[in-house]
Amino acid sequence: MSKNPFFINKGPFSLEDIFNECGLTPKVDYKKIIVSDVKSLNETTEEDLTFFHSIKYKNYAQSTKAKICITSDKLKMHLPKQCIIIAVENVLLAVAKITKLFYPDSVADNFDNNLKTPEVIFKNKKDIIFGRNVLIGVN
């Protein structure tokens, strides 16, 4: 499992927990199916959940290794047969809810007014305020 450089993964969670987080009722008992993380279509393993929200990611969807995918009814036919599909109306909203489950600290951006603006990068930008979990670097 890859490490998130900013947040701590609070998982794993059962698939039933994920359905509950989305306000859905599973048709099958999913307590025994465990999900380790939320990842993009092309970065998943069989332990992960992913999401497919746009047809432009069709090639990634067809070859995803994810065990579970959140998608819409109109896109689900592009996913592998072994993938458990969670069909929702608003894919990105469901993913946001699930991401909050795995990474609860990722949804709060508590501003720290004591941080100083790096003048080297932002010349003449005195009104910039940085929140926590901001990474500034080359490019």
Side-chain angles (χ1 to χ4, degrees), residues 33-51:
I33 296 177
I34 302 302
V35 181
S36 295
D37 205 350
V38 179
K39 294 184 183 171
S40 63
L41 286 162
N42 62 327
E43 294 178 333
T44 57
T45 69
E46 292 176 356
E47 299 175 353
D48 302 318
L49 175 141
T50 192
F51 59 99

Side-chain angles (χ1 to χ4, degrees), residues 84-112:
I84 297 170
I85 296 167
I86 301 174
V88 296
E89 286 186 34
N90 188 327
V91 174
L92 296 179
L93 179 60
V95 172
K97 290 177 181 180
I98 293 165
T99 300
K100 180 181 176 185
L101 182 66
F102 281 91
Y103 300 97
D105 295 336
S106 70
V107 295
D109 193 11
N110 302 319
F111 289 101
D112 186 346

